Short mmCIF file of all heavy atoms in Angstrom, two decimals:
data_model
loop_
_atom_site.label_atom_id
_atom_site.label_comp_id
_atom_site.label_asym_id
_atom_site.label_seq_id
_atom_site.Cartn_x
_atom_site.Cartn_y
_atom_site.Cartn_z
N ARG A 728 -15.28 14.30 1.50
CA ARG A 728 -16.28 13.59 2.28
C ARG A 728 -17.38 14.53 2.71
O ARG A 728 -17.12 15.51 3.39
CB ARG A 728 -15.66 12.86 3.47
CG ARG A 728 -16.76 12.03 4.26
CD ARG A 728 -16.14 11.26 5.37
NE ARG A 728 -15.80 12.05 6.47
CZ ARG A 728 -14.52 12.08 6.96
NH1 ARG A 728 -13.55 11.29 6.46
NH2 ARG A 728 -14.23 12.82 7.96
N THR A 732 -24.87 13.83 7.86
CA THR A 732 -25.62 13.03 8.83
C THR A 732 -26.70 13.88 9.61
O THR A 732 -27.50 13.26 10.24
CB THR A 732 -24.72 12.33 9.86
OG1 THR A 732 -23.78 13.26 10.38
CG2 THR A 732 -24.00 11.18 9.27
N PHE A 766 -20.18 9.94 1.07
CA PHE A 766 -21.14 10.51 1.86
C PHE A 766 -21.23 9.87 3.20
O PHE A 766 -21.35 8.60 3.29
CB PHE A 766 -22.53 10.40 1.17
CG PHE A 766 -22.59 11.26 -0.09
CD1 PHE A 766 -22.09 10.86 -1.35
CD2 PHE A 766 -23.09 12.55 -0.01
CE1 PHE A 766 -22.10 11.72 -2.45
CE2 PHE A 766 -23.08 13.40 -1.16
CZ PHE A 766 -22.63 12.98 -2.30
N GLN A 767 -21.04 10.59 4.28
CA GLN A 767 -20.95 10.02 5.57
C GLN A 767 -22.24 9.18 6.03
O GLN A 767 -22.09 8.23 6.61
CB GLN A 767 -20.77 11.22 6.63
CG GLN A 767 -20.51 10.81 7.99
CD GLN A 767 -19.80 11.87 8.82
OE1 GLN A 767 -20.43 12.87 9.10
NE2 GLN A 767 -18.57 11.60 9.17
N SER A 768 -23.32 9.68 5.47
CA SER A 768 -24.60 8.93 5.81
C SER A 768 -24.62 7.49 5.36
O SER A 768 -25.32 6.62 5.84
CB SER A 768 -25.80 9.72 5.25
OG SER A 768 -25.64 9.78 3.82
N HIS A 769 -23.77 7.21 4.36
CA HIS A 769 -23.68 5.80 3.86
C HIS A 769 -22.90 4.87 4.78
O HIS A 769 -22.96 3.68 4.58
CB HIS A 769 -23.00 5.71 2.47
CG HIS A 769 -23.75 6.47 1.37
ND1 HIS A 769 -23.25 6.61 0.12
CD2 HIS A 769 -24.84 7.25 1.47
CE1 HIS A 769 -24.17 7.34 -0.61
NE2 HIS A 769 -25.07 7.72 0.19
N TYR A 770 -22.30 5.43 5.79
CA TYR A 770 -21.44 4.57 6.59
C TYR A 770 -21.91 4.42 8.03
O TYR A 770 -21.12 4.10 8.89
CB TYR A 770 -20.00 5.13 6.62
CG TYR A 770 -19.44 5.24 5.18
CD1 TYR A 770 -19.38 6.47 4.57
CD2 TYR A 770 -19.11 4.09 4.47
CE1 TYR A 770 -18.95 6.55 3.18
CE2 TYR A 770 -18.71 4.18 3.14
CZ TYR A 770 -18.59 5.42 2.52
OH TYR A 770 -18.18 5.48 1.14
N ALA A 771 -23.14 4.72 8.31
CA ALA A 771 -23.70 4.69 9.70
C ALA A 771 -23.43 3.28 10.28
O ALA A 771 -23.04 3.18 11.48
CB ALA A 771 -25.16 5.02 9.69
N GLY A 772 -23.52 2.23 9.45
CA GLY A 772 -23.26 0.83 9.91
C GLY A 772 -21.82 0.78 10.58
O GLY A 772 -21.67 0.18 11.71
N ALA A 773 -20.87 1.31 9.87
CA ALA A 773 -19.54 1.23 10.31
C ALA A 773 -19.28 2.01 11.65
O ALA A 773 -18.50 1.67 12.52
CB ALA A 773 -18.51 1.69 9.27
N HIS A 774 -20.02 3.21 11.72
CA HIS A 774 -19.89 4.00 12.92
C HIS A 774 -20.42 3.28 14.14
O HIS A 774 -19.80 3.23 15.19
CB HIS A 774 -20.67 5.34 12.79
CG HIS A 774 -20.34 6.05 11.47
ND1 HIS A 774 -21.26 6.88 10.82
CD2 HIS A 774 -19.16 6.12 10.68
CE1 HIS A 774 -20.63 7.41 9.72
NE2 HIS A 774 -19.37 6.94 9.65
N VAL A 775 -21.55 2.63 13.97
CA VAL A 775 -22.14 1.91 15.10
C VAL A 775 -21.27 0.69 15.39
O VAL A 775 -20.99 0.41 16.62
CB VAL A 775 -23.58 1.39 14.71
CG1 VAL A 775 -24.15 0.53 15.86
CG2 VAL A 775 -24.50 2.65 14.54
N ALA A 776 -20.75 0.01 14.42
CA ALA A 776 -19.95 -1.16 14.63
C ALA A 776 -18.68 -0.84 15.45
O ALA A 776 -18.32 -1.50 16.38
CB ALA A 776 -19.56 -1.81 13.30
N ALA A 777 -18.10 0.35 15.16
CA ALA A 777 -16.96 0.73 15.85
C ALA A 777 -17.21 1.04 17.31
O ALA A 777 -16.53 0.66 18.23
CB ALA A 777 -16.32 2.06 15.17
N ALA A 778 -18.38 1.62 17.52
CA ALA A 778 -18.84 2.01 18.88
C ALA A 778 -19.06 0.69 19.69
O ALA A 778 -18.65 0.51 20.84
CB ALA A 778 -20.17 2.82 18.86
N MET A 779 -19.57 -0.32 19.03
CA MET A 779 -19.78 -1.61 19.71
C MET A 779 -18.54 -2.32 20.05
O MET A 779 -18.37 -2.91 21.05
CB MET A 779 -20.73 -2.61 18.77
CG MET A 779 -22.14 -2.04 18.65
SD MET A 779 -22.95 -1.50 20.18
CE MET A 779 -23.26 -3.05 20.96
N ARG A 780 -17.53 -2.16 19.15
CA ARG A 780 -16.15 -2.75 19.40
C ARG A 780 -15.61 -2.07 20.68
O ARG A 780 -15.00 -2.75 21.52
CB ARG A 780 -15.22 -2.50 18.20
CG ARG A 780 -15.45 -3.46 17.07
CD ARG A 780 -14.18 -3.60 16.19
NE ARG A 780 -13.67 -2.32 15.71
CZ ARG A 780 -14.15 -1.68 14.63
NH1 ARG A 780 -15.13 -2.16 13.97
NH2 ARG A 780 -13.60 -0.62 14.26
N LEU A 857 -21.07 8.46 22.47
CA LEU A 857 -20.74 7.88 21.20
C LEU A 857 -22.01 7.61 20.29
O LEU A 857 -22.12 7.93 19.16
CB LEU A 857 -19.92 6.67 21.28
CG LEU A 857 -18.53 6.81 21.98
CD1 LEU A 857 -17.93 5.47 22.17
CD2 LEU A 857 -17.69 7.80 21.23
N LEU A 858 -22.98 6.89 21.11
CA LEU A 858 -24.23 6.62 20.45
C LEU A 858 -25.35 7.24 21.27
O LEU A 858 -25.33 7.13 22.47
CB LEU A 858 -24.50 5.09 20.39
CG LEU A 858 -23.41 4.21 19.48
CD1 LEU A 858 -23.83 2.81 19.68
CD2 LEU A 858 -23.39 4.68 18.10
N THR A 863 -28.17 6.32 17.25
CA THR A 863 -27.49 6.93 16.13
C THR A 863 -26.04 7.44 16.73
O THR A 863 -26.01 7.91 17.76
CB THR A 863 -28.20 8.10 15.47
OG1 THR A 863 -28.55 9.03 16.55
CG2 THR A 863 -29.48 7.59 14.82
N PRO A 864 -25.10 7.37 15.84
CA PRO A 864 -23.71 7.83 16.21
C PRO A 864 -23.64 9.40 16.25
O PRO A 864 -24.34 9.98 15.44
CB PRO A 864 -22.84 7.34 15.06
CG PRO A 864 -23.65 6.98 13.96
CD PRO A 864 -25.12 6.80 14.46
N ILE A 865 -22.87 9.90 17.11
CA ILE A 865 -22.64 11.33 17.11
C ILE A 865 -21.55 11.71 16.06
O ILE A 865 -20.72 10.83 15.75
CB ILE A 865 -22.30 11.89 18.53
CG1 ILE A 865 -21.07 11.39 19.05
CG2 ILE A 865 -23.46 11.66 19.45
CD1 ILE A 865 -20.37 12.34 19.88
N LEU A 868 -17.69 10.67 16.56
CA LEU A 868 -17.37 9.30 16.27
C LEU A 868 -17.38 9.07 14.74
O LEU A 868 -16.46 8.43 14.22
CB LEU A 868 -18.36 8.36 16.96
CG LEU A 868 -18.30 6.86 16.62
CD1 LEU A 868 -17.05 6.27 17.27
CD2 LEU A 868 -19.59 6.11 17.13
N ALA A 869 -18.47 9.48 14.09
CA ALA A 869 -18.55 9.31 12.67
C ALA A 869 -17.38 9.79 11.92
O ALA A 869 -16.75 9.19 11.01
CB ALA A 869 -19.86 9.91 12.16
N ASN A 870 -17.01 11.03 12.28
CA ASN A 870 -15.83 11.67 11.71
C ASN A 870 -14.52 10.88 11.84
O ASN A 870 -13.83 10.66 10.94
CB ASN A 870 -15.74 13.08 12.41
CG ASN A 870 -14.74 14.03 11.85
OD1 ASN A 870 -13.67 14.18 12.40
ND2 ASN A 870 -15.12 14.74 10.79
N VAL A 871 -14.33 10.39 13.08
CA VAL A 871 -13.13 9.55 13.30
C VAL A 871 -13.15 8.22 12.54
O VAL A 871 -12.14 7.86 11.85
CB VAL A 871 -12.89 9.30 14.80
CG1 VAL A 871 -11.87 8.17 15.05
CG2 VAL A 871 -12.51 10.58 15.55
N VAL A 872 -14.30 7.56 12.62
CA VAL A 872 -14.37 6.26 11.94
C VAL A 872 -14.11 6.39 10.41
O VAL A 872 -13.46 5.65 9.83
CB VAL A 872 -15.74 5.60 12.26
CG1 VAL A 872 -15.88 4.32 11.43
CG2 VAL A 872 -15.79 5.28 13.80
N ASP A 873 -14.72 7.46 9.83
CA ASP A 873 -14.55 7.67 8.42
C ASP A 873 -13.11 7.98 8.13
O ASP A 873 -12.58 7.52 7.16
CB ASP A 873 -15.41 8.80 7.95
CG ASP A 873 -16.94 8.43 7.85
OD1 ASP A 873 -17.25 7.25 7.96
OD2 ASP A 873 -17.79 9.34 7.77
N ASP A 874 -12.54 8.84 9.00
CA ASP A 874 -11.13 9.14 8.72
C ASP A 874 -10.29 7.87 8.77
O ASP A 874 -9.25 7.68 7.97
CB ASP A 874 -10.59 10.20 9.70
CG ASP A 874 -10.99 11.57 9.27
OD1 ASP A 874 -11.41 11.84 8.18
OD2 ASP A 874 -10.96 12.53 10.21
N GLU A 876 -11.33 4.72 8.30
CA GLU A 876 -11.65 3.87 7.09
C GLU A 876 -11.06 4.43 5.79
O GLU A 876 -10.63 3.65 4.95
CB GLU A 876 -13.21 3.78 6.99
CG GLU A 876 -13.87 3.09 8.14
CD GLU A 876 -13.76 1.57 8.09
OE1 GLU A 876 -13.71 1.02 7.05
OE2 GLU A 876 -13.64 1.04 9.26
#
Side-chain angles (χ1 to χ4, degrees):
R728 181 173 71 235
T732 45
F766 291 86
Q767 188 156 68
S768 58
H769 297 179
Y770 304 103
H774 307 151
V775 174
M779 295 312 286
R780 281 203 305 280
L857 299 174
L858 297 179
T863 57
I865 62 147
L868 173 70
N870 183 265
V871 166
V872 173
D873 287 346
D874 280 343
E876 296 284 325

